């Protein structure tokens, strides 16, 4: 939870900066203790498995820490992930304390229903503590992306036990390290767009997604020789302990919900938004605006709230009627969201009600949305704020068409040949290609706009500080 809070840019910076060390800078376990754990699990001390082993970890998270070593059997430089000793017994105590505490909260304040959080911890934490499951998840994700031209890279697993994971070592930097991106001549806009493509592919096409992609679990490096990446960089995804699947119906309905949010406002669109919100999130019209805001990370759309004339005139920001019409999120909008949560009567209770109603997998998707939005924000991208929504729209359009295509092919196979079904197939294909092409054209125009902004920044930096200033300005750094 602390790692998630660190990634939410809508929260005060004092909160996020305090929680950020939980992503990869927790208190390390001493060398002697991890050596003892390794020997217990592997049957051999560290010095007999590795020719070299750096006792100082390169990263320490809440469940484990990672050391660099040289694997004796393969001669490879490896990353050794070691679970903190005694973690299992302390986690069991923590979970019991959380469950008891949440039970008392529910008893004294029935409107604040948090017991689902304890249930989630009880279900998910044991999965994250078994590194064999993590290795299996990494292998499955690698297969899902094997045939795609993508910048995603999954490190190879060499050995996996419940508490020890030995994997390929990747030299890289945090994906939000703007100085590294500038020095390596990596376009931060392209990085943000590739991150969006990777996680949209997972959710809308594969139906199997990494549920914890905070910046501590993402590295970036220059693409090596033979890389499948279409760009000059690779995005390395780490920590595969927490994955969730989406069943076919839920995945398609979720895609249709996003398409309705992106579509121009109309009575039919509004009806579709509420219809698919109920199918996906188990929320009715009364809670729909809260669910929509949680889904998009923005204030609810104009058609989703009832505003009288006086409220509209006093509003410090303008609500869009669809995701495509949204302007960059202003300080006024952020302040309005924070103020509403604290001061609007009944809103906090409605938020808790939505969290209680939403299926757990959908809740993990909401968490994923928060993390990917925060990455786009941290990378200080120059493209339009709706640019990543076009990527989402492309994957949703593809997912919905694939569902329609599968149903039509199944129907044609059962009926042997039906001209009306063939006509529907061709019409569906044509509609898909038309909408997809519109989105591609929109992407091209927005990318030109983003490049223009970078060029203007480069010229401004050149004027003030010469070529060094131009380079820093174009990379989003101070100059």
């Amino acid at each position: 939870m602390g790692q998630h809070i660190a990634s939410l840019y809508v929260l005060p910076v004092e909160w996020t900066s305090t929680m950020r060390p939980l992503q990869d800078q927790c208190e390390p376990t001493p060398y002697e203790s991890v050596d003892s754990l390794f020997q217990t699990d592997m049957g051999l001390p560290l010095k007999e498995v590795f020719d070299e082993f750096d006792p100082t970890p390169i990263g320490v998270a809440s469940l484990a820490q990672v050391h660099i070593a040289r694997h004796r059997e393969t001669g490879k430089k490896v990353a050794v992930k070691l679970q903190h000793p005694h973690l299992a017994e302390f986690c069991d105590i923590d979970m019991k304390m959380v469950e008891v505490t949440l039970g008392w909260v529910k008893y004294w304040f029935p409107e604040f229903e948090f017991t689902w959080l304890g249930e989630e911890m009880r279900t998910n934490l044991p999965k994250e503590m078994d590194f064999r499951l993590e290795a299996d998840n990494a292998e499955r994700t690698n297969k899902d992306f094997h045939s795609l031209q993508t910048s995603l890279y999954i490190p190879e697993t060499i050995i996996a036990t419940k508490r020890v994971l030995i994997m390929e070592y990747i030299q890289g930097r945090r994906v939000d390290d703007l100085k590294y991106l500038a020095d390596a001549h990596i376009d931060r806009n392209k990085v943000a767009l590739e991150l969006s493509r990777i996680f949209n592919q997972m959710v809308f096409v594969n139906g199997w997604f990494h549920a914890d992609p905070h910046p501590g679990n993402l590295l970036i490096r220059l693409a090596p020789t033979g890389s499948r990446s279409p760009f000059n960089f690779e995005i390395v995804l780490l920590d595969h302990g927490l994955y969730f699947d989406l069943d076919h119906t839920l995945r398609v309905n979720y895609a249709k919900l996003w398409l309705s949010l992106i579509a121009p406002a109309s009575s039919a669109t509004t009806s579709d938004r509420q219809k698919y919100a109920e199918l996906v999130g188990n929320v009715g019209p009364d809670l729909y605006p809260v669910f929509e805001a949680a889904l998009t990370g923005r204030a609810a759309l104009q058609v989703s709230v009832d505003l009288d004339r006086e409220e509209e005139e006093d509003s410090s920001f303008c609500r869009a009627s669809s995701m495509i019409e949204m302007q960059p999120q202003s300080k006024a909008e952020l302040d309005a969201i924070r103020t509403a949560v604290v001061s609007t009567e009944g809103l906090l209770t409605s938020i808790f009600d939505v969290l209680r109603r939403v299926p757990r997998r959908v809740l993990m998707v909401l968490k994923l949305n928060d993390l990917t939005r925060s990455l786009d924000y941290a990378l200080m991208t120059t493209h339009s704020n709706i640019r990543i929504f076009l990527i989402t729209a492309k994957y949703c359009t593809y997912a919905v068409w694939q569902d329609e295509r599968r149903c039509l092919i199944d129907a044609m196979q059962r009926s042997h040949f039906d001209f009306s079904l063939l006509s529907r197939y061709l019409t569906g294909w044509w509609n898909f290609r038309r909408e997809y092409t519109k989105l591609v054209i929109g992407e091209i125009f927005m990318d030109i706009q983003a490049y223009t902004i970078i060029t203007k920044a480069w010229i401004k930096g050149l004027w003030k500080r010469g070529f060094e200033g131009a380079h820093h300005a174009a990379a989003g750094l101070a100059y």
Side-chain angles (χ1 to χ4, degrees):
M1 183 177 290
Q3 292 172 345
H4 187 194
I5 289 173
S7 300
L8 297 179
Y9 63 90
V10 295
L11 295 179
V13 67
E14 293 83 2
W15 295 21
T16 57
S17 60
T18 300
M19 295 297 179
R20 181 170 177 172
L22 294 176
Q23 294 180 340
D24 56 7
Q25 300 170 30
C26 296
E27 188 69 24
T29 296
Y31 172 79
E32 294 75 16
S33 298
V34 294
D35 185 27
S36 176
L37 178 143
F38 186 87
Q39 188 163 350
T40 299
D41 280 35
M42 300 292 293
L44 293 169
L46 288 166
K47 63 183 180 181
E48 292 190 25
V49 178
F50 305 105
D51 288 327
E52 303 168 10
F53 186 90
D54 188 345
T56 303
I58 58 171
V60 185
S62 54
L63 300 184
Q65 61 191 51
V66 179
H67 297 257
I68 301 174
R70 178 76 61 183
H71 192 228
R72 179 168 297 174
E73 183 179 339
T74 63
K76 293 181 177 180
K77 191 175 185 179
V78 295
V80 185
K81 183 175 180 179
L82 299 163
Q83 194 173 110
H84 297 304
H86 311 297
L87 180 67
E89 55 192 84
F90 284 120
C91 279
D92 191 52
I93 294 171
D94 287 347
M95 285 189 289
K96 288 179 181 177
M97 288 182 62
V98 168
E99 289 170 347
V100 169
T101 302
L102 295 178
W104 277 109
V105 170
K106 181 180 179 180
Y107 178 80
W108 290 107
F109 307 99
E111 67 273 20
F112 296 106
E113 171 59 87
F114 284 118
T115 53
W116 58 268
L117 185 58
E119 295 167 2
E120 281 302 293
M121 284 184 64
R122 180 69 68 178
T123 301
N124 296 327
L125 200 51
K127 296 178 182 178
E128 293 190 82
M129 291 167 57
D130 189 341
F131 294 166
R132 295 168 298 187
L133 292 178
E134 179 173 344
D136 292 342
N137 291 341
E139 182 181 3
R140 175 173 172 178
T141 303
N142 214 8
K143 289 179 180 177
D144 283 346
F145 283 83
H146 180 71
S147 61
L148 303 178
Q149 188 181 32
T150 176
S151 63
L152 178 66
Y153 186 82
I154 308 292
E156 175 193 0
T157 298
I158 298 172
I159 296 174
T161 70
K162 187 171 183 179
R163 298 190 296 173
V164 176
L165 184 62
I166 304 174
M167 52 194 163
E168 174 188 7
Y169 173 72
I170 302 295
Q171 180 71 50
R173 302 292 289 271
R174 279 177 61 116
V175 74
D176 58 354
D177 187 336
L178 293 179
K179 187 175 187 310
Y180 171 77
L181 297 181
D183 293 343
H185 300 285
I186 295 173
D187 186 333
R188 66 188 189 279
N189 285 345
K190 291 180 180 177
V191 173
L193 298 180
E194 268 296 275
L195 285 166
S196 181
R197 292 186 190 104
I198 288 167
F199 292 113
N200 276 295
Q201 173 73 27
M202 287 184 175
V203 171
F204 294 109
V205 181
N206 300 343
W208 169 254
F209 63 95
H210 190 299
D212 198 23
H214 60 74
N217 286 340
L218 288 160
L219 298 178
I220 192 160
R221 65 171 180 175
L222 286 170
T225 304
S227 170
R228 292 182 295 141
S229 175
F231 306 107
N232 69 332
F233 61 85
E234 282 187 337
I235 295 170
V236 183
L237 185 58
L238 307 173
D239 193 357
H240 300 269
L242 192 60
Y243 271 76
F244 289 89
D245 59 352
L246 294 175
D247 65 62
H248 177 80
T249 301
L250 177 59
R251 180 170 55 83
V252 173
N253 283 336
Y254 182 55
K256 290 178 178 178
L257 172 58
W258 265 108
L259 289 176
S260 68
L261 289 168
I262 292 168
S266 67
S267 57
T269 299
T270 302
S271 176
D272 282 345
R273 290 173 184 175
Q274 294 188 355
K275 168 187 171 183
Y276 291 114
E278 187 161 8
L279 291 173
V280 170
N282 194 32
V283 295
D286 55 330
L287 292 173
Y288 172 77
V290 177
F291 178 66
E292 182 193 274
L295 182 64
T296 63
R298 302 292 298 267
L301 298 174
Q302 177 69 46
V303 294
S304 302
V305 292
D306 295 320
L307 295 173
D308 61 31
R309 184 180 301 275
E310 181 180 353
E311 288 176 321
E312 200 167 320
E313 290 175 351
D314 292 342
S315 179
S316 56
F317 67 96
C318 182
R319 295 178 186 270
S321 61
S322 76
M323 299 301 295
I324 289 296
E325 296 177 6
M326 278 192 168
Q327 298 298 314
Q329 192 166 40
S330 63
K331 183 178 184 299
E333 182 181 345
L334 282 171
D335 290 343
I337 293 172
R338 293 165 181 162
T339 302
V341 170
V342 175
S343 61
T344 303
E345 184 178 355
L347 180 57
L348 197 58
T349 304
S350 296
I351 293 172
F352 295 145
D353 196 12
V354 167
L355 293 176
R356 179 178 60 83
R357 290 168 178 264
V358 168
R360 301 284 72 88
R361 276 163 171 70
V362 176
L363 195 63
M364 290 299 108
V365 172
L366 297 181
K367 175 186 174 183
L368 175 65
N369 289 344
D370 287 337
L371 292 170
T372 51
R373 275 193 297 266
S374 72
L375 286 168
D376 189 71
Y377 180 82
L379 285 165
M380 297 181 65
T381 54
T382 62
H383 50 234
S384 167
N385 64 298
I386 64 172
R387 178 66 175 85
I388 58 173
F389 294 135
L390 291 187
I391 293 177
T392 299
K394 284 172 64 178
Y395 280 90
C396 291
T397 301
Y398 176 78
V400 171
W401 160 240
Q402 287 300 309
D403 175 63
E404 182 182 357
R405 177 178 177 271
R406 179 183 61 84
C407 291
L408 288 171
I409 288 176
D410 288 346
M412 284 190 284
Q413 287 175 341
R414 288 194 303 269
S415 64
H416 301 295
F417 182 81
D418 187 323
F419 184 78
S420 64
L421 290 174
L422 178 60
S423 176
R424 285 174 57 191
Y425 181 95
L426 293 174
T427 301
W429 174 85
W430 174 253
N431 290 337
F432 160 67
R433 294 309 310 176
R434 182 185 60 194
E435 295 303 317
Y436 197 89
T437 302
K438 287 181 184 177
L439 294 169
V440 170
I441 293 171
E443 286 184 318
I444 292 171
F445 278 106
M446 288 186 185
D447 289 345
I448 292 172
Q449 291 175 344
Y451 182 75
T452 301
I453 293 171
I454 290 177
T455 303
K456 289 179 179 178
W458 188 91
I459 294 171
K460 186 177 180 181
L462 179 68
W463 178 259
K464 289 188 173 183
R465 294 288 302 276
F467 284 106
E468 182 180 359
H471 178 65
H472 283 188
L477 300 170
Y479 58 95

